[in-house]
């Protein structure tokens, strides 16, 4: 009888151990899926759930705060994801938070990630609809990676060709093996240093000059700093402006006069019009000038004859003598 | 005399087992209840099987982890080893291996025990004395098998997971808390409940087949050995068939 009691106790402990383990396991699984404790519902609408399933985790700042409860097809372009979120984080998640579908690791399960916005907003309420955010798809990543690989292969090929050319270049290797080049480079560096020092000195002098000018020393400084000169310069400029105005009016008057003259030349009744436009008048003038030329020649001959006349020869000789005296 | 073909013999055997199971289903809830015998059978079938089931479970968890580890390292997912081992043990390996060990130990025991009682005409004597041998011998044993196998499977899972934890720590370093979190985080009700429920059917199959084979034992002591042997063989095959049906049903119901 005692043995039977002991056996019963052992059996009871055995069964209890099994029950406790299964209850604990189910409780922990349920806790992970937020089936126990207070929770609330959040929703988000996306065009593609990317393999997300009910039971997948929902994360906020990397912490599991809930699970996907249900996927409802709204229409052919939109699917509504319903999430069960732990009540404890309701005050933390704001209405302007965004939701994206991500993968846990490279080949892991899909997870929904809630990302809070930096702009302040009210906390979410039960049944609120959050804004979806398009996440980088694994396929898209692989496509980009494939393109990068192709580019890298192209670059590597080109690099290989370049390195081969460099290896085969005798001129380059001669250049590299030339021991005088480092000395030249060293000398060049020294020269550059000297030039730099000189440039520094020049800059210093220039700075002193600028300071002198600013402080009103020297001619340029006085010009810049002296207010009397500036006033004189100003009045001079005003005078030049006034003269320019007068010159303008003069130019206009002159222009008008020239236009009048031009008009009178072209259309006027005077002699100038006739001189420029009347060919008969012109011929008369030419003839008259020819006659004057002929008359002047005749007069010169008469005068030469008069010089040799005995009556006037003494007078002309006297003039010659006085002329010679003056030249001496 | 008509000579039966193997197929006819097989179908006849299946039919008789089905009738035997039907008789159990009709008898188990009718009074008089043999509660004391049921508790005694639970102790023998459940508690006394724990060391064997625990030992096999522990070795199974440890070996499974050590075998999986190189492949996981090759794929660079060594950190997921507790999750993979946990799912494998809880969903499939724990219940099935426990049921097979249970069939080997308890199926043969029931077959041999009832077979020897049959060939020594103790069952006939019970009928003469006014005791219902089916209720006393069969119903108590089958019910004990149905109730105890799930408990054994659960404890086997726990011990297997501990073996897996040791296996993980032989070549790595993972705290028990992290190991446990990784296992539980990757388990869902869909993993635990179907596996737990099918162990009731495994227990039912082992109990019914063991009792049937022993209850219908013939040919003296030779028949006892045959009953024990065929009880184990048929129970093991039926366990796999039930497992196949269970996975199809859970898949159909969308639990996978």
């Amino acid at each position: 009888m005692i043995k039977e009691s002991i056996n019963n106790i052992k059996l009871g402990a055995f069964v209890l151990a099994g029950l406790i383990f299964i209850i604990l396991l189910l409780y922990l699984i349920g806790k992970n899926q937020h089936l126990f404790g207070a929770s609330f519902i959040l929703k988000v609408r996306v065009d593609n759930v990317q393999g997300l399933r009910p039971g997948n985790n929902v994360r906020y700042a990397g912490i599991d705060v809930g699970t996907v409860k249900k996927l409802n097809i709204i229409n052919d372009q939109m699917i509504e994801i319903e999430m069960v979120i732990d009540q404890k984080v309701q005050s933390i998640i704001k209405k302007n938070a965004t939701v994206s579908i991500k993968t846990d690791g490279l080949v892991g399960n899909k997870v929904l990630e809630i990302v809070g916005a930096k702009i302040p907003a009210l906390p979410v309420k039960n049944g609120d609809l959050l804004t979806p955010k398009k996440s980088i798809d694994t396929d898209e990543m692989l496509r980009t990676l494939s393109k990068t690989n192709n580019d890298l292969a192209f670059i590597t090929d080109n690099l290989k060709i370049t390195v081969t050319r460099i290896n085969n270049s005798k001129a380059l290797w001669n250049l590299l093996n030339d021991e005088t080049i480092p000395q030249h480079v060293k000398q060049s560096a020294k020269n550059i240093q000297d030039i730099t020092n000189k440039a520094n000195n020049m800059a210093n002098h220039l700075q002193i000059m600028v300071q002198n000018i600013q402080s009103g020393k020297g001619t340029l400084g006085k010009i810049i700093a002296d207010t009397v000169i500036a006033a004189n310069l100003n009045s001079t400029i005003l005078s030049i402006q006034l003269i320019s105005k007068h010159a303008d009016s003069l130019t206009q008057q002159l222009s008008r006069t020239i236009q009048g003259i031009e008009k009178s030349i072209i259309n006027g009744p005077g002699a100038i019009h006739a001189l420029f436009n009347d060919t008969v008048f012109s011929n008369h003038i030419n003839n008259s000038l020819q006659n004057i030329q002929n008359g002047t020649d005749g007069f010169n001959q008469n005068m030469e004859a008069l010089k040799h006349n005995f009556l006037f020869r003494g007078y002309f000789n006297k003039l010659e003598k006085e002329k010679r005296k003056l030249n001496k | 005399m008509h000579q039966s073909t193997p197929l006819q013999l097989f179908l006849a055997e299946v039919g008789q087992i089905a009738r035997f199971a039907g008789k159990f289903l009709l008898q188990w809830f009718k009074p008089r209840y043999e509660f004391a015998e049921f508790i005694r059978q639970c102790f023998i079938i459940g508690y006394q099987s724990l060391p064997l089931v625990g030992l096999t479970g522990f070795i199974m968890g440890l070996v499974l982890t050590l075998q999986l580890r190189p492949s996981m390292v090759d794929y660079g997912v060594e950190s997921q080893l507790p999750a993979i081992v946990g799912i494998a043990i809880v969903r499939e390996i724990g219940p099935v291996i426990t049921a097979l060990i249970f069939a080997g130990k308890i199926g043969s025991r029931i077959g041999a025990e009832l077979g020897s009682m049959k060939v020594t005409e103790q069952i006939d004597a019970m009928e003469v004395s006014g005791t219902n041998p089916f209720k006393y011998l069969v119903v108590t044993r089958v019910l004990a098998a149905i109730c105890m196998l799930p408990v054994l499977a659960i404890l086997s899972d726990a011990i297997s997971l501990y073996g897996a934890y040791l296996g993980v720590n032989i070549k790595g370093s993972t705290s028990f808390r992290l190991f446990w979190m990784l296992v539980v985080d990757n388990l869902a009700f869909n993993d635990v409940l179907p596996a737990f429920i099918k162990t009731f059917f495994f227990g039912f199959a082992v109990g019914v087949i063991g009792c049937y084979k022993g209850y219908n034992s013939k040919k003296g002591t030779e028949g006892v050995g045959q009953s024990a042997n065929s009880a184990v063989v048929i129970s093991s095959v039926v366990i796999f068939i039930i497992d196949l049906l269970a996975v199809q049903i859970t898949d159909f119901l969308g639990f996978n």
Side-chain angles (χ1 to χ4, degrees):
Chain A
M1 194 68 187
I2 295 167
K3 192 184 173 189
E4 197 179 325
S5 300
I6 293 168
N7 287 348
N8 287 346
I9 291 166
K10 287 176 180 173
L11 181 66
F14 164 75
V15 173
L16 272 176
L19 286 175
I20 287 168
F21 184 75
I22 187 76
I23 289 167
L24 186 71
L25 191 64
L26 293 175
Y27 171 74
L28 289 172
I29 292 168
K31 195 181 169 191
N32 272 346
Q33 294 187 359
H34 301 273
L35 295 177
F36 308 120
S39 61
F40 67 104
I41 299 289
L42 284 179
K43 294 174 184 173
V44 65
R45 289 180 176 179
V46 294
D47 57 352
N48 187 350
V49 294
Q50 298 172 25
L52 192 79
R53 295 172 62 183
N56 280 134
N57 285 327
V58 179
R59 285 181 184 160
Y60 182 81
I63 302 166
D64 288 336
V65 294
T67 51
V68 175
K69 187 185 178 188
K70 213 191 286 179
L71 302 173
N72 302 317
I73 299 174
I74 304 294
N75 55 43
D76 61 340
Q77 296 290 316
M78 198 174 285
I79 295 159
E80 188 180 79
I81 303 166
E82 213 173 291
M83 301 169 264
V84 185
I85 308 291
D86 194 343
Q87 192 87 49
K88 288 174 192 167
V89 295
Q90 189 170 8
S91 59
I92 297 166
I93 302 172
K94 309 295 179 194
K95 281 180 183 288
N96 58 358
T98 54
V99 181
S100 56
I101 300 168
K102 295 200 167 173
T103 308
D104 195 3
L106 196 62
V107 288
N109 292 325
K110 292 287 177 187
V111 290
L112 266 186
E113 190 171 82
I114 302 174
V115 180
K118 289 179 181 174
I119 303 163
L122 291 171
V124 287
K125 289 179 184 171
N126 186 36
D128 270 357
L129 195 67
L130 297 180
T131 314
K133 186 182 171 187
K134 191 170 172 57
S135 57
I136 298 170
D137 195 6
T138 314
D139 291 341
E140 199 178 324
M141 277 171 64
L142 290 173
R143 274 198 296 275
T144 310
L145 198 64
S146 172
K147 190 176 178 304
T148 310
N149 280 341
N150 290 337
D151 292 346
L152 205 62
F154 179 75
I155 291 164
T156 313
D157 286 345
N158 286 341
L159 203 63
K160 197 174 160 185
I161 293 163
T162 309
V163 169
T164 311
R165 280 182 183 172
I166 289 168
N167 274 335
N168 295 335
S169 168
K170 285 181 182 175
L172 184 69
W173 288 112
N174 287 336
L175 200 67
L176 290 173
N177 290 326
D178 192 346
E179 290 178 357
T180 58
I181 286 174
Q183 289 172 358
H184 291 157
V185 170
K186 201 173 172 182
Q187 186 61 41
S188 301
K190 194 171 177 298
N191 293 339
I192 289 166
Q193 196 176 6
D194 291 343
I195 291 165
T196 310
N197 289 335
K198 283 175 184 172
N200 276 337
N201 288 333
M202 281 172 71
N204 288 335
H205 289 142
L206 203 62
Q207 194 179 5
I208 291 162
M209 278 173 70
V210 169
Q211 281 173 353
N212 289 339
I213 290 166
Q214 281 176 343
S215 59
K217 290 177 186 173
T219 313
L220 196 59
K222 281 179 183 171
I223 289 168
I224 291 168
D226 195 342
T227 51
V228 177
I229 289 176
N232 290 339
L233 203 64
N234 199 18
S235 64
T236 308
I237 289 165
L238 285 172
S239 301
I240 290 167
Q241 279 180 344
L242 203 64
I243 290 163
S244 297
K245 280 180 185 175
H246 285 302
D248 275 351
S249 63
L250 278 171
T251 309
Q252 283 173 5
Q253 281 177 6
L254 199 63
S255 175
R256 278 198 295 275
T257 308
I258 289 165
Q259 280 176 357
I261 290 166
E262 194 179 21
K263 202 173 175 182
S264 63
I265 288 169
I266 295 165
N267 301 319
I272 294 169
H273 171 73
L275 188 67
F276 282 98
N277 296 317
D278 192 345
T279 51
V280 178
F281 182 74
S282 176
N283 288 334
H284 283 306
I285 287 172
N286 282 335
N287 290 332
S288 301
L289 288 172
Q290 189 66 42
N291 291 334
I292 289 166
Q293 183 69 36
N294 293 334
T296 307
D297 291 341
F299 180 72
N300 283 339
Q301 283 176 357
N302 289 335
M303 282 301 289
E304 196 62 35
L306 201 62
K307 280 180 185 176
H308 295 91
N309 191 283
F310 73 99
L311 290 176
F312 299 97
R313 191 183 300 161
Y315 172 72
F316 285 108
N317 287 335
K318 193 182 174 183
L319 283 178
E320 280 289 322
K321 281 176 184 173
E322 283 177 1
K323 207 173 182 179
R324 275 187 219 123
K325 265 183 189 176
L326 283 172
N327 287 336
K328 285 178 181 177
Chain B
M1 191 175 171
H2 175 68
Q3 187 73 30
S4 299
T5 61
L7 180 64
Q8 285 173 330
L9 288 172
F10 170 75
L11 291 174
E13 184 87 346
V14 172
Q16 283 170 0
I17 292 172
R19 283 183 69 181
F20 192 82
K23 192 177 176 184
F24 162 77
L25 292 173
L26 288 171
Q27 290 281 331
W28 79 272
F29 59 89
K30 284 183 184 174
R32 159 177 182 237
Y33 301 111
E34 303 289 350
F35 191 70
E37 177 62 11
F38 167 70
I39 295 295
R40 197 179 74 84
Q41 288 301 325
C42 282
F43 179 76
I44 295 165
I45 289 172
Y47 182 79
Q48 290 188 344
S49 300
L50 183 61
L52 180 66
V53 169
L55 179 67
T56 51
F58 177 79
I59 294 168
M60 189 177 62
L62 184 67
V63 170
L64 183 68
T65 308
L66 292 175
Q67 295 277 29
L68 270 175
R69 187 187 180 85
S71 302
M72 302 291 279
V73 171
D74 285 348
Y75 285 106
V77 285
E78 189 186 353
S79 62
Q80 294 299 310
L81 191 57
I84 300 285
V85 172
I87 289 169
I89 287 171
V90 172
R91 283 191 77 138
E92 184 64 23
I93 296 171
V96 172
I97 297 290
T98 306
L100 289 173
I101 298 291
F102 188 80
K105 185 174 186 295
I106 302 302
S108 62
R109 179 195 168 93
I110 294 172
E113 193 179 20
L114 294 191
S116 63
M117 287 175 81
K118 177 74 178 175
V119 296
T120 55
E121 297 179 347
Q122 288 180 54
I123 293 172
D124 297 333
M126 284 173 79
E127 278 181 359
V128 171
S129 67
T131 307
N132 184 347
F134 194 88
K135 283 190 79 72
Y136 188 81
L137 298 175
V138 175
V139 171
T140 53
R141 281 168 175 76
V142 174
L143 276 179
I146 291 170
C147 294
M148 289 300 106
L149 185 53
V151 179
L152 280 171
I154 288 295
L155 290 174
S156 171
D157 285 352
I159 295 165
S160 294
L161 288 173
Y162 184 70
Y165 165 68
L166 292 181
V168 167
N169 278 280
I170 285 174
K171 287 187 177 175
S173 178
T174 304
S175 70
F176 186 74
R177 185 179 166 81
L178 178 62
F179 176 86
W180 183 245
M181 288 301 293
L182 282 169
V183 170
V184 173
D185 280 355
N186 288 282
L187 285 175
F189 287 124
N190 297 350
D191 300 318
V192 178
L193 290 178
F196 184 62
I197 290 166
K198 73 184 174 187
T199 54
F200 287 94
F201 291 94
F202 291 161
F204 174 76
V206 172
V208 165
I209 291 163
C211 288
Y212 168 78
K213 282 294 175 185
Y215 208 77
N216 295 290
S217 186
K218 290 169 188 170
K219 297 178 189 174
T221 50
E222 188 191 342
V224 175
Q226 278 184 352
S227 298
N229 182 42
S230 59
V232 173
V233 173
I234 295 171
S235 297
S236 302
V237 172
V238 171
I239 283 166
F240 281 110
I241 292 168
I242 292 171
D243 195 39
L244 179 67
L245 290 173
V247 77
Q248 294 295 328
I249 290 166
T250 49
D251 197 39
F252 178 73
L253 294 174
F255 290 145
N256 277 338

